[in-house]
């Protein structure tokens, strides 16, 4: 293999333009494509900046150099010295930014050869994702993947500039922390020097950033890695990155305004998207009642509507039983879909059952009249009143769910999104930002038979609801807020508790004794004894945010080295077993190894 000695790169492939014609250049990169036309060889050369066509002309080159060019194959790493010239009018390639010029090679060095890649290094490939992840170093060469990672860099740079300009300090918090398993499962790290004891990797810097407010730093931010040992989805990873923010002496409205301005600047500078501020505010109750979601997609209008008063008191036992037991009957209106095929209606019945609904009813306002599985139980006048209340006209479809409120809202909320996609009502280029505010402080866990914090136990309840912490937790609203974009929560936070006595009351309402609370959070409670200022903040999921900006379906496409849905890195084969010596040093014996050894003994 050859080296770069005496040959200094002075340009990048994708930067060359017509104004560079006549310039001698040295380029480094990879062979993206090679075309041999006898005495002429054309190579599309690629680096991070883009592509340029390099011409090898046997008539004007030394024979050895041209012979070397004949050996080039895709993904060879090369260096080229040559002269930029204009392409003839008929050979201009308008598909690439360098399409008006080409580089005529005078010297070629093959820096490294390459095996035939397991997939094409180009955009839009139809390849199993596991293969892409196994050969991630090749997948990341593809232009669309490089654009994603470059966008990610640009996003974090704009964030840092914004916060620096507004008086925030980026302060690092520990990666090895105390385990406080109140949320998702912790990743545990054994301590060799403290046998039998464990650190936890942080699920977030929450406690430390609050303590930084006690310390008087007032405006903190950090772009930080966090870890959660939980089941994965397309938008979730065991290790992820978040933009973490906290500030003192700010009202909720001031915090929301600062964040809106950051997001506005971020979208305009990184992807050229115009963002209007201030964002709409919607309380949690309204979001759930109207859209069946605490992160509603407002790019299309299809609200949930309560029709309980029109269907109660009839001979239709399904609706009556639900309403008498405190439930409700709600619907969504799908314009112009009264001719929905029966087969599709049957599919939608199964769809809502996924979200806990027992079934789905419907009303079709067709040219032939009203069609509905419960038509015989109600008068024409009733269907006319429902049409008036919902705005339904001839040709429209109402999809109806009857059940407990949470089941109805959840099932219809998901059905609303399904219909939005099916009816092409969602503009993929539209940006609809929203603040959802006034979340419930608690949510009931049927599994654990206790109240759990909807966000986390450090969220401040509204002043007027503090009296209900012990007697009626379900009534308490929190000073919590989520930023939502196109139906995706991109950031969330709250005003925090900064009084030790109130914090103890909240821990007590969650079923923690004083001893348990101090064992887990004693250092934080102690800090609150020393003049803690009012403070609040939030965190943005950086991976999810960049995924939306890049218009990708999975956060794995915007992370350089992601894990699979089984939390594995198939490129490096992590996690993996460690040898017995390492385990002994950490004073660890694994049950899995014992089980395997026992099976071997019994074999």
């Amino acid at each position: 293999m050859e080296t770069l000695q005496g040959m200094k790169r002075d340009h990048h492939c994708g930067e060359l333009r017509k104004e560079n014609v006549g310039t001698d250049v040295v380029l480094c990169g990879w062979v993206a494509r090679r075309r041999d036309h006898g005495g002429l060889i054309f190579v599309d050369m690629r680096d991070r900046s883009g592509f340029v066509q390099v011409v090898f002309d046997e008539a004007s080159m030394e024979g050895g150099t041209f012979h070397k060019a004949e050996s080039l194959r895709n993904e060879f790493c090369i260096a080229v010295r040559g002269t930029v010239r204009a392409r003839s009018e008929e050979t201009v390639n308008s598909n690439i930014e360098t399409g008006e010029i080409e580089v005529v090679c005078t010297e070629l060095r093959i820096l490294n050869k390459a095996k035939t890649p397991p997939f094409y290094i180009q955009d839009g490939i139809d390849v199993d994702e596991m293969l892409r992840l196994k050969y991630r170093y090749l997948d990341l060469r593809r232009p669309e993947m490089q654009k994603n990672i470059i966008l990610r860099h640009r996003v974090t740079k704009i964030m840092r500039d914004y916060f620096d300009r507004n008086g925030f300090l980026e302060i690092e918090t520990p990666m090895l922390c105390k385990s406080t398993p109140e949320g998702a499962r912790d990743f545990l790290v054994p301590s060799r020097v403290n046998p039998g004891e464990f650190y936890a990797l942080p699920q977030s810097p929450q406690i430390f950033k609050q303590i930084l407010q006690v310390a008087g730093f007032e405006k903190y931010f950090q772009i930080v890695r966090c870890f959660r040992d939980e089941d994965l989805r397309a938008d979730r990873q065991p290790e992820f990155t978040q933009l973490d923010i906290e500030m003192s002496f700010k009202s909720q409205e001031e915090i929301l305004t600062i964040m809106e301005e950051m997001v506005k600047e971020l979208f305009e500078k990184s992807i050229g998207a115009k963002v209007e501020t201030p964002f709409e505010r919607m309380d949690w109750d309204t979001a759930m009642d109207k859209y069946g979601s605490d992160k509603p997609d407002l790019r299309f209008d299809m609200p949930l509507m309560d029709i309980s008063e029109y269907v109660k008191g009839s001979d239709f036992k399904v609706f009556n039983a639900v309403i008498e037991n405190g439930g409700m009957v709600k619907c969504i209106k799908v314009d112009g879909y009264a001719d929905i095929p029966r087969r599709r209606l049957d599919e939608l019945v199964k769809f809502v059952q996924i979200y806990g609904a027992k079934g789905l009813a419907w009303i079709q306002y067709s040219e032939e009249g009203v069609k509905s599985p419960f038509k015989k139980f109600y008068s024409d006048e009733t269907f006319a009143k429902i049409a008036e209340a919902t705005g339904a006209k001839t040709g429209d479809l109402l999809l109806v769910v009857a059940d407990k409120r949470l089941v109805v809202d959840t099932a219809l909320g998901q059905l609303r999104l399904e219909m939005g996609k099916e009816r092409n009502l969602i503009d993929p280029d539209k940006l609809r930002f929203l603040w959802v505010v006034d979340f419930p402080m608690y949510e009931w866990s049927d599994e654990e038979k206790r109240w759990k914090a909807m966000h986390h136990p450090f969220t401040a309840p509204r002043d007027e609801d503090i009296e209900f912490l012990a007697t009626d937790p379900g009534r308490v609203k929190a000073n919590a807020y989520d930023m939502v974009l196109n139906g995706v929560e991109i950031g969330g936070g709250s005003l925090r508790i900064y009084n030790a006595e109130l914090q103890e009351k909240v821990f007590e309402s969650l079923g923690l004794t004083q001893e348990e609370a101090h064992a887990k959070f004693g250092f934080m409670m102690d800090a609150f004894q020393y003049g803690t200022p009012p403070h609040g903040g939030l965190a943005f999921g950086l991976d999810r945010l960049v995924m939306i900006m890049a218009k990708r379906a999975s956060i794995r496409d915007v992370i350089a080295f992601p894990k699979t849905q089984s939390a594995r890195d198939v490129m490096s084969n992590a996690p993996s077993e460690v040898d017995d010596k390492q385990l002994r040093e950490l004073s660890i014996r694994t049950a899995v190894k014992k089980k395997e050894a026992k099976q071997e003994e019994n074999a």
Side-chain angles (χ1 to χ4, degrees):
M1 294 299 101
E2 297 174 286
T3 70
L4 278 172
Q5 187 172 357
M7 195 174 186
K8 183 180 178 181
R9 180 196 214 177
D10 52 27
H11 287 78
H12 288 85
C13 297
E15 297 173 348
L16 298 175
R17 298 292 185 272
K18 212 166 185 177
E19 52 266 31
N20 298 112
V21 169
T23 304
D24 292 330
V25 298
V26 175
L27 307 174
C28 296
W30 288 266
V31 175
R33 187 180 173 207
R34 172 184 171 277
R35 303 176 299 285
D36 193 334
H37 294 263
L40 282 175
I41 295 175
F42 296 92
V43 166
D44 292 337
M45 188 174 175
R46 179 191 70 241
D47 64 13
R48 191 178 84 190
S49 66
F51 296 83
V52 70
Q53 179 170 280
V54 180
V55 182
F56 300 88
D57 188 345
E58 185 176 22
S60 59
M61 299 179 71
E62 295 179 6
T65 302
F66 188 80
H67 177 68
K68 195 189 299 183
E70 289 180 310
S71 72
L72 292 177
R73 296 294 181 270
N74 286 2
E75 299 312 310
F76 275 30
C77 185
I78 62 174
V80 165
R81 189 192 304 276
T83 304
V84 181
R85 76 178 181 192
R87 292 200 201 189
S88 61
E89 191 173 332
E90 62 272 16
T91 62
V92 167
N93 183 355
S94 59
N95 294 321
I96 58 174
E97 293 182 350
T98 60
E100 292 185 302
I101 58 93
E102 59 192 9
V103 176
V104 180
C105 179
T106 57
E107 183 182 357
L108 167 66
R109 296 191 191 180
I110 298 177
L111 303 175
N112 224 327
K113 295 182 179 180
K115 293 167 63 176
T116 301
F119 49 79
Y120 291 111
I121 312 300
Q122 62 188 37
D123 291 345
I125 56 173
D126 184 16
V127 175
D128 182 75
E129 189 184 32
M130 292 296 286
L131 188 64
R132 288 175 52 205
L133 292 175
K134 181 177 181 180
Y135 296 94
R136 190 62 164 182
Y137 40 85
L138 296 178
D139 190 41
L140 287 171
R141 283 187 194 173
R142 298 191 302 113
E144 61 184 350
M145 292 299 294
Q146 297 219 330
K147 287 176 184 175
N148 292 345
I149 302 302
I150 292 168
L151 173 62
R152 187 184 176 110
H153 160 76
R154 191 179 302 128
V155 164
T156 57
K157 172 70 165 56
I158 294 166
M159 286 174 171
R160 286 191 164 98
D161 289 346
Y162 175 84
F163 286 112
D164 179 65
R165 197 170 64 247
N166 283 277
F168 287 74
L169 300 174
E170 184 165 17
I171 304 174
E172 294 175 340
T173 51
M175 284 289 108
L176 298 175
C177 309
K178 181 180 178 63
S179 178
T180 54
E182 274 300 300
R185 297 182 186 90
D186 287 329
F187 278 103
L188 299 178
V189 180
S191 170
R192 181 183 60 81
V193 295
N194 299 284
E197 296 184 336
F198 295 82
Y199 299 104
L201 298 179
Q203 294 186 31
S204 88
Q206 182 64 42
I207 294 176
F208 289 102
K209 71 176 180 177
Q210 288 192 244
I211 288 177
L212 284 171
Q213 302 311 297
V214 181
F217 284 101
E218 296 193 18
K219 288 183 173 182
Y220 145 95
F221 86 100
Q222 185 181 187
I223 296 174
V224 60
R225 299 291 274 177
C226 301
F227 306 85
R228 292 179 187 171
D229 188 7
E230 58 186 354
D231 296 335
L232 308 183
R233 315 192 284 257
D235 61 348
R236 192 167 286 178
Q237 286 276 298
E239 54 178 324
F240 57 96
T241 306
Q242 69 182 38
L243 167 64
D244 203 52
I245 306 142
E246 200 77 9
M247 57 195 95
S248 296
F249 309 116
K250 297 290 185 185
S251 68
Q252 177 170 309
E253 191 58 34
E254 287 176 304
I255 293 172
L256 301 193
T257 298
I258 291 169
M259 294 303 103
E260 287 176 355
E261 292 304 315
M262 186 275 292
V263 168
K264 176 182 173 72
E265 183 170 314
L266 180 63
F267 273 74
E268 290 181 358
K269 287 187 175 180
S270 61
I271 61 174
K274 291 291 182 183
V275 174
E276 298 296 326
T277 57
F279 300 164
E280 180 181 346
R281 271 75 161 156
M282 182 183 295
D283 64 77
W284 183 88
D285 286 327
T286 299
M288 292 300 297
D289 183 60
K290 194 172 181 180
Y291 299 104
S293 171
D294 59 7
K295 45 183 181 295
D297 190 338
L298 301 184
R299 288 176 294 176
F300 68 106
D301 185 34
M302 191 185 288
L304 281 57
M305 295 175 282
D306 189 349
I307 58 171
S308 301
E309 66 175 284
Y310 303 105
V311 297
K312 66 183 179 182
S314 75
D315 293 332
F316 190 46
K317 294 180 181 179
V318 174
F319 288 170
N320 275 340
V322 165
I323 295 169
E324 287 171 3
N325 287 308
M328 60 198 322
V329 183
K330 295 177 80 169
C331 69
I332 55 173
K333 176 171 69 75
V334 189
D335 292 344
Y337 206 19
D339 59 351
I340 183 173
R342 179 54 196 249
R343 175 178 48 81
R344 181 57 177 147
L345 283 170
D346 292 339
E347 291 171 352
L348 295 180
V349 172
K350 294 177 182 176
F351 178 86
V352 297
Q353 288 172 343
I354 296 171
Y355 302 98
K358 297 179 182 66
L360 176 72
W362 56 86
I363 306 173
Q364 296 163 280
Y365 289 96
S366 69
E367 295 286 353
E368 296 79 31
V370 173
K371 298 178 183 178
S372 174
F374 54 86
K375 186 173 187 289
K376 65 181 179 180
F377 296 101
Y378 296 95
S379 66
D380 291 342
E381 183 183 1
T382 298
F383 286 105
K385 286 181 179 179
I386 292 173
E388 183 180 358
T390 60
K393 58 187 182 301
T394 301
D396 293 344
L397 169 71
L398 298 185
L399 296 171
V400 184
V401 174
D403 214 305
K404 295 176 183 176
R405 177 170 187 158
L406 183 59
V407 172
V408 170
D409 287 345
T410 302
L412 273 181
Q414 292 298 321
L415 187 58
R416 172 183 179 268
L417 293 175
E418 181 76 2
M419 289 295 98
K421 295 170 188 172
E422 185 169 320
R423 303 296 289 171
N424 295 317
L425 302 177
I426 302 174
D427 182 351
D429 296 320
K430 195 172 186 179
L431 297 174
R432 280 300 303 270
F433 287 93
L434 169 73
W435 285 109
V436 176
V437 299
D438 295 339
F439 279 77
M441 183 82 172
Y442 304 98
E443 56 187 343
W444 179 257
S445 170
D446 285 327
E447 183 181 343
E448 299 181 35
K449 304 299 179 188
R450 70 178 182 97
W451 290 104
K452 299 183 70 173
M454 182 169 275
H455 280 74
H456 54 61
F458 315 113
T459 297
R462 293 192 310 194
D463 291 346
E464 61 268 32
D465 293 341
I466 290 175
E467 62 180 295
F468 303 115
L469 283 172
T471 59
D472 192 2
R475 181 174 174 176
V476 180
K477 296 292 186 182
N479 289 304
Y481 36 81
D482 280 0
M483 185 185 288
V484 176
L485 170 59
N486 295 350
V488 178
E489 177 218 326
I490 59 173
S494 65
L495 298 183
R496 319 301 189 190
I497 298 168
Y498 59 96
N499 175 277
E501 291 180 7
L502 178 56
Q503 186 66 76
E504 286 184 349
K505 285 182 181 179
V506 170
F507 285 147
E508 187 178 343
S509 70
L510 291 168
L512 288 176
T513 65
Q514 236 180 22
E515 293 74 22
E516 289 172 330
H518 276 268
K520 292 179 178 180
F521 309 109
F523 64 103
M524 182 183 188
M525 304 290 282
D526 290 343
F528 280 4
Q529 306 289 334
Y530 294 93
T532 303
H535 59 279
L538 70 169
F540 289 87
L542 181 66
D543 311 302
R544 193 180 299 178
L545 184 60
V546 178
M547 176 189 77
I548 294 172
M549 298 172 91
K551 297 182 179 179
R552 309 297 294 196
S554 167
I555 61 171
R556 291 189 291 276
D557 283 344
V558 297
I559 299 172
F561 299 103
K563 304 291 189 291
T564 66
Q565 288 197 354
S566 58
R568 296 198 67 84
D569 179 347
V570 293
M571 183 185 72
S572 66
N573 196 30
S576 60
E577 292 184 358
V578 297
D579 61 40
D580 289 336
K581 180 183 177 184
Q582 288 176 281
L583 293 175
R584 283 195 300 271
E585 287 177 341
L586 295 169
S587 304
I588 290 176
R589 180 185 298 164
T590 70
V592 173
K593 284 189 175 292
K594 280 184 180 179
K595 184 178 178 182
E596 289 173 352
K598 196 169 184 178
Q599 287 174 342
E600 288 176 7
E601 289 173 5
N602 296 334

